[in-house]
Amino acid sequence: MSEENNQKSYNVKCVVVGDSGTGKTCIAQRLAFNNFTDNPESTIGASNFTYLFEFGDTSLKLEIWDTAGQEAYRSLNRIFYKDAKIAILTYDITNNESFKNISTIWLPQVKECVDQNAILFICGNKCDKYDEEKVKEEDAKAYADTIGAMFAQTSALQGIGIKEMFSAAAKKYLSLIGIDFKEENNTE
């Protein structure tokens, strides 16, 4: 934290994890650059993006680590999870296996590596493909509740729910460390 002219400033590490093809890179790019890249190259290791949230006299720079979903890189991902205060566990609403892997692969790995008080967020991406939905929203919400996680459905393609999800996580972080925040002004 730094303070300048009564402005409080925080840097917070956030990891975005999940199976390959769930849209993790598209989610991070949608927030950071407000654009969508169809069929981005698979992430090798991790990519890093930043986004600045301003809540009145408090600013929070979110350092977003987009991690690889391929099995070959899973052990390497643990390095990128270290010191994360927010973890976005992402699945594709049209792919039941990607949702199952949240509980069997991603959550155990994240819990082993991130801060013990880290904010967990279950993110069902590709909600623009609602007609192809394989994972019911109510089932995913119920799962999020059982692990004490927040929940959102997003569409990186259409920009639905992305900024709101990250903003909710940022506000929750500030609340947990005892910071009162005011009206939001986001800058990019």
Side-chain angles (χ1 to χ4, degrees):
M1 180 187 95
S2 65
E3 288 194 42
E4 208 171 284
N5 299 334
N6 292 331
Q7 177 78 17
K8 296 178 199 110
S9 179
Y10 298 87
N11 290 336
V12 177
K13 184 175 184 179
C14 170
V15 293
V16 182
V17 305
D19 285 4
S20 184
T22 57
K24 299 179 305 293
T25 300
C26 293
I27 287 169
Q29 287 180 347
R30 175 59 81 175
L31 179 70
F33 309 116
N34 195 27
N35 70 13
F36 178 82
T37 303
D38 199 18
N39 297 319
E41 290 186 28
S42 290
T43 303
I44 297 175
S47 297
N48 181 265
F49 303 92
T50 61
Y51 188 83
L52 182 66
F53 284 100
E54 291 185 356
F55 306 103
D57 63 354
T58 302
S59 65
L60 186 142
K61 183 170 123 182
L62 206 55
E63 299 167 3
I64 304 161
W65 288 85
D66 163 32
T67 61
Q70 300 94 329
E71 190 170 351
Y73 298 105
R74 287 184 187 155
S75 61
L76 179 64
N77 283 346
R78 288 176 164 84
I79 296 166
F80 301 111
Y81 298 166
K82 188 173 172 21
D83 299 323
K85 304 293 185 197
I86 300 169
I88 310 287
L89 295 102
T90 308
Y91 69 95
D92 173 349
I93 72 161
T94 70
N95 181 332
N96 199 42
E97 189 69 22
S98 71
F99 179 68
K100 287 178 184 174
N101 287 342
I102 295 287
S103 64
T104 60
I105 297 170
W106 303 110
L107 181 63
Q109 194 177 80
V110 162
K111 283 194 161 200
E112 176 182 308
C113 301
V114 300
D115 184 277
Q116 72 176 20
N117 297 317
I119 295 160
L120 300 177
F121 224 116
I122 302 297
C123 172
N125 193 36
K126 304 185 184 181
C127 69
D128 54 285
K129 295 183 174 183
Y130 187 76
D131 58 332
E132 299 173 43
E133 180 185 52
K134 300 274 189 301
V135 180
K136 299 291 181 206
E137 182 177 2
E138 57 271 13
D139 294 340
K141 277 184 184 177
Y143 174 69
D145 287 344
T146 65
I147 63 167
M150 299 174 79
F151 175 79
Q153 279 200 331
T154 62
S155 168
L157 172 67
Q158 295 180 353
I160 298 169
I162 304 289
K163 190 178 286 186
E164 294 83 358
M165 175 180 65
F166 283 103
S167 177
K171 287 177 180 178
K172 173 112 179 186
Y173 172 79
L174 291 173
S175 176
L176 288 175
I177 63 168
I179 302 299
D180 289 327
F181 48 85
K182 298 176 182 120
E183 188 173 320
E184 178 178 332
N185 265 328
N186 291 319
T187 58
E188 297 182 44

